Amino acid sequence: MNELFKELFGRYTLADEVKAQGIYPYYRPIESGQDTVVKMKGKDVLMFGSNSYLGLSDDPRLKEAAIAAIKRYGTSCSGSRFLNGTLDIHLELEEKLAKLVGKEEAVTYSTGFQVNLGVVSLGMRDGYIFLDSYDHASIIEGARLSFSKVLKFAHNDMSALEEKLRVAPIDCPKLIVVDGIYSMSGDIVPLPEVLDLADKYNAAVMVDDAHSIGVLGDHGRGTSDYFGVTDRVDLIMGTFSKSFGSLGGFIAGSHVLLNYIKHNSRSLIFSASMPPANVAAVSRAIDIMLEEPERIDNLWKVTNHAREEFLKRGFDIGATQSPIFPLYVRDMEKCLRAVKDALDEGVFITPVIPPAVPQDSIIIRFALMATHTVEQVDEAIDKLEKIFRRLEIIK
Ligand code: PMP
């Protein structure tokens, strides 16, 4: 092994230190499909750390659709959409997605990360990109590749956004990128206000709806539909690894924008396309989402119940407005200990620690699915309350 590499990479010791304390929380193997109960080390565990908001990732109908697609099209497209990797079902799915979110066209990528990487970086040499400080890592990476000036504004703070917008010359290209529901804090972007500022300062707006499709809007159409502002939003991004029980992502917008993206976005053009099984699973998930609105109703029922219970028992849940609950801990060791103790008690939750968030925002993320029951929520919150009190996270 190269000595310099060994020295550089060997400086990272945190994971080993945490392992020695027995509270390492990452790469924990799950031995089953991902629904409200999963198998870990042969035992049933209540899952509250998933992004499968509609509870579809282990749905038999998605599995059947995926198997049928494998039988017909094989296991891989062996190349990118651009050259040899476009199937008829990719095109059908893209039409469905465009219609779902109310835009002219959509194109699919192999992951949501690649969408943000390949879209935020485009077309804006010498422009300005404005990012909410809570925007997802993939948006930040896209901005880094853009050759634009990148200005961050304080989370959901519209006067901070306006202050940054004032800096840029009125006639240079500008893009504001926001999440619909923020993945860690669970609050919703004040999109109409973002759009008013965008109009005032002549900026385009892109919304990352990774955590909002299947959760917000009519039949889960997302944040722009929820606020009734779809026509004013330039680009809507979504991922298939959350509500849609699959893997991949999409960007939707007008023909002009999509035409440019399809012929210039490098993470689309130079990367293999979504495999047939994933495409078929997403397509079936959209049908189910539209046919069974009761799934979203239940998601909100368990969400509202969890909110009441957390508040009643003295948890600090920040400003969440969604099925994502940040349980504020603000201490790294207590956070990791609580995650470990919860798993020992049969509850899977996830830690969010620096560098993902600053020290004073260390949280445990607790997320709901449409398939959770009120009883499961109560059982988990009972256990978490005991752990949080024992560790003096809540008094
Ligand atoms: N955007 C947001 C807001 C996300 O939370 C994520 C995934 N955590 C992504 C984009 C990337 O999506 P994917 O998992 O499909 O790569």
Side-chain angles (χ1 to χ4, degrees):
M1 184 179 180
N2 177 280
E3 279 306 312
L4 184 57
F5 254 48
K6 194 170 160 189
E7 142 74 9
L8 282 174
F9 286 73
R11 280 183 210 161
Y12 176 74
T13 54
L14 183 60
D16 286 342
E17 286 160 23
V18 173
K19 276 181 195 167
Q21 289 175 271
I23 51 174
Y24 179 72
Y26 303 123
Y27 299 100
R28 295 177 286 177
I30 294 169
E31 297 145 5
S32 64
Q34 200 164 117
D35 204 342
T36 59
V37 179
V38 296
K39 278 258 182 279
M40 296 180 79
K41 294 193 179 149
K43 286 201 303 204
D44 282 350
V45 171
L46 280 174
M47 171 51 85
F48 284 96
S50 181
N51 299 306
S52 180
Y53 302 115
L54 292 177
L56 287 173
S57 60
D58 198 38
D59 189 287
R61 295 165 291 182
L62 267 68
K63 293 197 239 185
E64 271 166 32
I67 291 165
I70 289 180
K71 286 190 174 150
R72 177 156 177 198
Y73 298 98
T75 50
S76 167
C77 294
S78 309
S80 84
R81 291 291 313 283
F82 194 61
L83 294 174
N84 60 313
T86 293
L87 297 171
D88 50 0
I89 52 174
H90 284 116
L91 301 182
E92 283 161 28
L93 175 60
E94 286 163 358
E95 252 180 57
K96 225 186 226 188
L97 286 162
K99 202 164 148 212
L100 181 77
V101 299
K103 287 289 168 200
E104 277 173 22
E105 285 185 28
V107 67
T108 53
Y109 288 60
S110 302
T111 66
F113 199 106
Q114 283 174 252
V115 177
N116 284 335
L117 202 63
V119 172
V120 177
S121 55
L122 280 184
M124 294 253 302
R125 198 175 271 271
D126 304 322
Y128 281 76
I129 298 180
F130 302 88
L131 302 182
D132 185 288
S133 62
Y134 282 19
D135 273 351
H136 189 256
S138 52
I139 297 173
I140 296 164
E141 293 307 309
R144 275 188 187 161
L145 293 178
S146 67
F147 300 104
S148 302
K149 288 202 180 61
V150 181
L151 300 179
K152 274 195 190 178
F153 58 94
H155 174 55
N156 268 353
D157 181 339
M158 293 301 104
S159 50
L161 171 58
E162 179 154 24
E163 216 171 89
K164 301 288 176 188
L165 282 163
R166 268 201 216 106
V167 170
I170 195 78
D171 55 349
C172 85
K174 297 180 213 65
L175 173 68
I176 303 169
V177 191
V178 290
D179 286 8
I181 290 176
Y182 283 88
S183 59
M184 298 300 154
S185 49
D187 48 353
I188 301 172
V189 66
L191 191 53
E193 294 169 46
V194 171
L195 290 163
D196 289 345
L197 286 174
D199 287 347
K200 185 168 169 191
Y201 291 92
N202 193 24
V205 173
M206 171 172 166
V207 179
D208 177 332
D209 254 350
H211 298 269
S212 347
I213 289 196
V215 178
L216 290 182
D218 167 52
H219 285 80
R221 289 171 205 277
T223 315
S224 309
D225 181 88
Y226 172 75
F227 284 111
V229 294
T230 301
D231 291 345
R232 298 176 64 197
V233 173
D234 297 276
L235 288 165
I236 297 175
M237 174 274 175
T239 165
F240 305 141
S241 57
K242 307 190 192 301
S243 287
F244 291 152
S246 183
L247 182 71
F250 74 93
I251 189 80
S254 66
H255 168 72
V256 179
L257 297 184
L258 267 287
N259 187 47
Y260 185 86
I261 289 168
K262 281 161 88 171
H263 299 96
N264 292 278
S265 178
R266 292 161 74 85
S267 57
L268 173 70
I269 292 172
F270 296 101
S271 185
S273 58
M274 282 175 77
N278 295 16
V279 176
V282 179
S283 191
R284 193 72 189 92
I286 294 173
D287 296 344
I288 293 171
M289 183 172 88
L290 296 174
E291 285 157 14
E292 298 178 359
E294 60 275 15
R295 296 186 91 84
I296 301 179
D297 293 345
N298 196 59
L299 177 63
W300 282 100
K301 182 178 145 199
V302 287
T303 296
N304 292 331
H305 178 73
R307 159 189 288 282
E308 267 173 36
E309 288 300 317
F310 278 130
L311 289 175
K312 205 160 76 189
R313 297 165 196 235
F315 284 83
D316 178 356
I317 56 171
T320 181
Q321 299 164 278
S322 72
I324 299 169
F325 287 86
L327 308 178
Y328 279 87
V329 180
R330 300 192 167 87
D331 178 290
M332 169 109 104
E333 198 178 328
K334 284 185 183 181
C335 174
L336 299 184
R337 176 68 56 195
V339 168
K340 162 79 167 62
D341 290 356
L343 188 57
D344 289 346
E345 300 251 349
V347 179
F348 188 106
I349 42 179
T350 50
V352 185
I353 60 172
V357 288
Q359 196 78 17
D360 65 352
S361 300
I362 288 176
I363 57 162
I364 284 172
R365 186 178 185 273
F366 179 97
L368 291 157
M369 294 184 233
T371 38
H372 275 127
T373 62
V374 165
E375 291 71 30
Q376 288 175 320
V377 172
D378 285 342
E379 186 184 335
I381 297 182
D382 280 347
K383 288 179 174 170
L384 292 182
E385 184 184 0
K386 285 193 191 112
I387 294 166
F388 271 49
R389 286 196 194 285
R390 190 166 67 231
L391 295 171
E392 295 182 345
I393 301 167
I394 54 174
K395 298 267 161 39

